[in-house]
Amino acid sequence: MMISAASRPPLIISTEPSHVDLHRLKDLYAACNISGHRLRREGAAEPVDPRKLRIAVANSFVVVSVFCRPIDSSSSGAFIQRMLPLTHWNGELVGFGRASSDSSLTASIHDVMVIPSLRRLGIGRMILKRLIRVLTSKDIYDIAALCDKNERLFFGACGFGDDMLNSTTMMYTRSSSNNAHQGQLIL
């Protein structure tokens, strides 16, 4: 079910890490086909390890969660649900993003996601704006976005561009070729 921008449901945005329910976040990762691994094979993303997800959220400089009323309003309590104020407790987690930082000079943005049925309504842009606002309020202006080739257009439309130093992000990951000695790098 696609929703038009004019009929976007009411949303609340939270930067409070305690508002992140890890089970709902794991479901959001799955719904958005996002893996906890940057270098992954094509196809369906493997499920995110809840223990690693908890650590990632806890160690993030800032997290942004977006909640809306449950999209399925056919349930018997839907009327009562609509009458209650929208909170992170009764809302559905529909978007998320996080940033890591050294708390002084640089930051990197990770895992910006919105459930497919609510994409193209400006929710991803709201998440990114909130992340940037929190980072720049702490005088952090060197902000990188870790994104794949499919996300480059989105980040470009939100003001991100190529690095002035023309640097390239490089990733280290354990693989069968470098795992011969229990993942230790031999120099």
Side-chain angles (χ1 to χ4, degrees):
M1 164 176 98
M2 292 303 291
I3 298 172
S4 70
S7 64
R8 180 176 71 199
L11 303 170
I12 61 165
I13 299 175
S14 172
T15 56
E16 178 58 50
S18 66
H19 291 173
V20 178
D21 179 307
L22 294 176
H23 297 291
R24 289 201 242 170
L25 184 57
K26 182 181 177 204
D27 292 343
L28 181 62
Y29 269 77
C32 296
N33 197 31
I34 294 178
S35 170
H37 304 287
R38 279 279 134 205
L39 302 174
R40 66 180 178 96
R41 295 186 197 106
E42 293 295 319
E46 57 188 81
V48 179
D49 180 343
R51 292 176 297 121
K52 289 187 175 196
L53 193 56
R54 179 180 46 77
I55 293 167
V57 169
N59 289 315
S60 294
F61 186 79
V62 61
V63 297
V64 175
S65 304
V66 179
F67 302 89
C68 79
R69 296 208 183 282
I71 296 170
D72 178 21
S73 60
S74 61
S75 67
S76 60
F79 176 75
I80 295 171
Q81 186 75 354
R82 283 193 307 269
M83 302 312 290
L84 295 173
L86 177 61
T87 68
H88 67 280
W89 294 110
N90 65 6
E92 178 181 349
L93 180 64
V94 297
F96 180 79
R98 65 187 187 90
S100 56
S101 176
D102 59 14
S103 302
S104 178
L105 299 173
T106 63
S108 55
I109 294 176
H110 309 267
D111 306 331
V112 175
M113 63 187 89
V114 176
I115 61 170
S117 62
L118 293 180
R119 288 184 184 159
R120 299 200 163 285
L121 299 177
I123 297 170
R125 185 178 293 266
M126 289 185 335
I127 293 169
L128 202 50
K129 281 182 177 180
R130 183 65 59 97
L131 288 168
I132 292 168
R133 186 174 6 170
V134 170
L135 293 168
T136 58
S137 74
K138 305 288 187 189
D139 288 331
I140 300 168
Y141 292 95
D142 188 0
I143 304 169
L146 292 179
C147 58
D148 65 24
K149 62 184 177 186
N150 298 325
E151 299 166 327
R152 287 182 63 85
L153 287 175
F154 166 73
F155 281 98
C158 293
F160 283 79
D162 291 331
D163 185 356
M164 292 175 10
L165 300 175
N166 204 24
S167 62
T168 301
T169 300
M170 299 178 74
M171 302 287 289
Y172 173 81
T173 185
R174 275 191 345 192
S175 67
S176 58
S177 63
N178 59 16
N179 196 19
H181 296 83
Q182 289 89 15
Q184 294 179 355
L185 186 60
I186 306 297
L187 300 174

